[in-house]
Amino acid sequence: MENQNPLQNGALEGAAGNGGRSGDGSALIFLGTGCSSAVPNAMCLIQPSDPPCQVCSQSLSIPPDRNPNYRCNTSLLIDYCSSDGIRNYIIIDVGKTFREQVLRWFTFHKIPRVDSIVLTHEHADAILGLDDIRAIQPHSPTNDIDPTAIYLTRHSMDSIATKFPYLVQKKLREGQEVRRVAQLDWKIIEEHYDKPFVASGLKFFPLPVMHGEDYLCLGYLFGEKCKVAYISDVSRFPSNTEYVISKNGAGQLDLLILDCLYKTLEAIKRICPKRALLIGMTHEFDHHKDNEFLMEWSEREGIHVQLARDGLRVPIDL
């Protein structure tokens, strides 16, 4: 499994090891980089075209851990080591493929737990793994454990309460049997950049973006030494949000992690980060071929841009 060079105060230095934690610093681990339906596309395998889909057919011959075109739902794990040496693990989004991501990448990168969860929105590819949070919590048949903090908007909270009432319910009805479920501490956040919150010691600034023209989704800005923006689902940037993350606005990002499904390179040129990694790829993206194109584009435009891949670990000074 490849590792990226570390980002320290905006610079690229050194190289990381293969698997597990490299050094004592913070890191970003890409648990998933695919679209909502993930990759491979099931239809490409059960009703193959002639010729077959080159990206999806690779899943039949190349193991997922060696196949950068095998992509789970988009999700990022922040392995955050604070200045006092305390390490916390923060996950952004818990989608349909969460259990597979735990089995594959928590074990590979030696992630022992999740301390906080941050949600971007309440679509299936961001929340349908919430039930499986219990699998990475201490076992208690009576649910007598410390709950995991989860940060989300009021709209997402209301939607999840409908989809997962048993995760939200605080008191048992008379005669109701106790069943082991994920224990979550629901924390409502606001959809404004000027309303930051702190999750497991790391400050997050919400970045509202449009996900379609009738739906508001959140990205997040975090990091003091290195500024990182994570935006997984976007069709349009409101002007205020773009200003906050732009070189010609509030200041240049060290790393932009961006959804690649909508006019991505145009947005990157406007925002002008030092470096960008793309996520949310469908089976129309071939990791090797498209990264060759992006390498040429990067040299021409002076902004380093590449497709991320599942399992990628980026050491970074937060």
Side-chain angles (χ1 to χ4, degrees), residues 137-263:
Q137 291 182 321
H139 184 274
S140 170
T142 59
N143 297 319
D144 186 22
I145 61 172
D146 292 332
T148 302
I150 179 167
Y151 298 83
L152 71 171
T153 65
R154 170 54 63 185
H155 174 76
S156 292
M157 179 79 260
D158 292 343
S159 176
I160 290 171
T162 300
K163 297 180 176 74
F164 296 104
Y166 60 92
L167 295 182
V168 178
Q169 179 182 345
K170 292 297 183 182
K171 293 183 179 179
L172 295 176
R173 298 187 302 273
E174 185 177 352
Q176 184 178 1
E177 181 182 354
V178 176
R179 289 182 171 85
R180 183 175 176 245
V181 299
Q183 297 301 296
L184 300 168
D185 182 10
W186 305 93
K187 297 181 178 295
I188 303 301
I189 61 173
E190 298 191 40
E191 300 169 335
H192 303 288
Y193 170 78
D194 59 357
K195 299 292 184 179
F197 61 95
V198 176
S200 296
L202 183 62
K203 182 179 286 189
F204 289 82
F205 295 85
L207 299 172
V209 296
M210 300 310 298
H211 182 22
E213 286 306 307
D214 61 348
Y215 188 88
L216 190 70
C217 181
L218 291 184
Y220 294 100
L221 176 68
F222 59 90
E224 295 182 0
K225 297 177 182 178
C226 283
K227 291 174 59 178
V228 180
Y230 179 86
I231 303 171
S232 60
D233 294 85
V234 59
S235 58
R236 180 172 62 82
F237 286 93
S239 57
N240 289 346
T241 295
E242 187 165 317
Y243 176 85
V244 165
I245 60 175
S246 294
K247 181 179 181 180
N248 293 329
Q252 189 177 32
L253 296 172
D254 293 290
L255 176 62
L256 172 62
I257 301 170
L258 183 62
D259 177 15
C260 70
L261 298 184
Y262 181 79
K263 298 182 179 179

Side-chain angles (χ1 to χ4, degrees), residues 232-305:
S232 60
D233 294 85
V234 59
S235 58
R236 180 172 62 82
F237 286 93
S239 57
N240 289 346
T241 295
E242 187 165 317
Y243 176 85
V244 165
I245 60 175
S246 294
K247 181 179 181 180
N248 293 329
Q252 189 177 32
L253 296 172
D254 293 290
L255 176 62
L256 172 62
I257 301 170
L258 183 62
D259 177 15
C260 70
L261 298 184
Y262 181 79
K263 298 182 179 179
T264 304
L265 294 180
E266 293 180 19
I268 290 174
K269 287 176 68 174
R270 294 196 310 272
I271 296 169
C272 195
K274 295 178 182 178
R275 184 180 183 186
L277 288 168
L278 304 185
I279 56 176
M281 285 78 74
T282 69
H283 68 150
E284 296 175 346
F285 288 80
D286 182 281
H287 185 83
H288 300 295
K289 292 181 180 179
D290 285 302
N291 269 342
E292 289 178 3
F293 164 78
L294 288 172
M295 188 176 297
E296 296 175 359
W297 186 92
S298 298
E299 292 176 356
R300 184 170 64 251
E301 300 295 338
I303 306 171
H304 183 77
V305 183

